[in-house]
C-alpha cells in the first residue's frame, strides 16, 4: 500500500493497478502529470484526488471523462462549460449532463446526445428542452 512517503515509481505502479490509490499519495504526486494521468486512465474518479490545477487541465479532464463520464463532477467550472469535454462525458454516461454548465444543459445537440446514451438524462436538461423533447 502506498502512503505520503511513497516514491513516484511506487505510486505509478500502484495507480496502474488501481487509480483510486492516488488518494494516498503525497500532495506533490497528486499534482504530478504522469502519476495523475495513469490514475485517471484506470479510474476516472481519481480526478477527485488530483490537484486543483489538474482538475482545470483540459487534457486530464478529457481523459478522466472518457474513462468515466461522471468524473465531470470533479472538473473545474470552466471545463463543465466546455462543449467538447461535456460531449465526451455524456457519450460515456448520459447522466453526466447533470454536471454540465447551465448553458450546455440548454444546448439541443448536447442534450440529444445525452438522452441517446441514457434516456433518463432528459431530466437534467433545461426546462425548455425537457418540455420540447419529451413530447
Amino acid at each position: 500500500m502506498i502512503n505520503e512517503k511513497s516514491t513516484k515509481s511506487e505510486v505509478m505502479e500502484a495507480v496502474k493497478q488501481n487509480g483510486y490509490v492516488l488518494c494516498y499519495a503525497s500532495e506533490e504526486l497528486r499534482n504530478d502529470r504522469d502519476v495523475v494521468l495513469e490514475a485517471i486512465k484506470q479510474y476516472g474518479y481519481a480526478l477527485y484526488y488530483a490537484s486543483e490545477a489538474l482538475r482545470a487541465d483540459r487534457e486530464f479532464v478529457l481523459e478522466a471523462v472518457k474513462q468515466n463520464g461522471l468524473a465531470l463532477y470533479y472538473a473545474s467550472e470552466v471545463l463543465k462549460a466546455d462543449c467538447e469535454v461535456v460531449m465526451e462525458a455524456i457519450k460515456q454516461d448520459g447522466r453526466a449532463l447533470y454536471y454540465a454548465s447551465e448553458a450546455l444543459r440548454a444546448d439541443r445537440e448536447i442534450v440529444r446526445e445525452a438522452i441517446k446514451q441514457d434516456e433518463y438524462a432528459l431530466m437534467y436538461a433545461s426546462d425548455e428542452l425537457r418540455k420540447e423533447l419529451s413530447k
Side-chain angles (χ1 to χ4, degrees), residues 35-87:
V35 171
V36 175
L37 189 58
E38 282 301 322
I40 63 176
K41 282 181 177 177
Q42 200 283 323
Y43 179 66
Y45 279 137
L47 187 63
Y48 173 76
Y49 303 108
S51 68
E52 192 173 318
L54 292 180
R55 289 194 311 261
D57 184 300
R58 194 168 190 276
E59 175 190 357
F60 283 85
V61 173
L62 274 169
E63 207 49 56
V65 299
K66 285 177 183 176
Q67 199 285 324
N68 185 326
L70 297 177
L72 183 63
Y73 176 76
Y74 303 114
S76 69
E77 293 304 312
V78 169
L79 293 177
K80 289 178 182 180
D82 182 301
C83 192
E84 184 183 355
V85 169
V86 171
M87 187 63 84

Side-chain angles (χ1 to χ4, degrees), residues 68-117:
N68 185 326
L70 297 177
L72 183 63
Y73 176 76
Y74 303 114
S76 69
E77 293 304 312
V78 169
L79 293 177
K80 289 178 182 180
D82 182 301
C83 192
E84 184 183 355
V85 169
V86 171
M87 187 63 84
E88 284 298 328
I90 63 173
K91 282 180 179 177
Q92 202 287 319
D93 190 324
R95 296 170 300 161
L97 182 63
Y98 180 76
Y99 303 118
S101 69
E102 191 174 320
L104 291 181
R105 285 185 279 128
D107 181 287
R108 187 171 276 99
E109 181 184 355
I110 294 282
V111 172
R112 284 186 191 277
E113 188 64 36
I115 60 177
K116 187 165 85 175
Q117 202 287 323

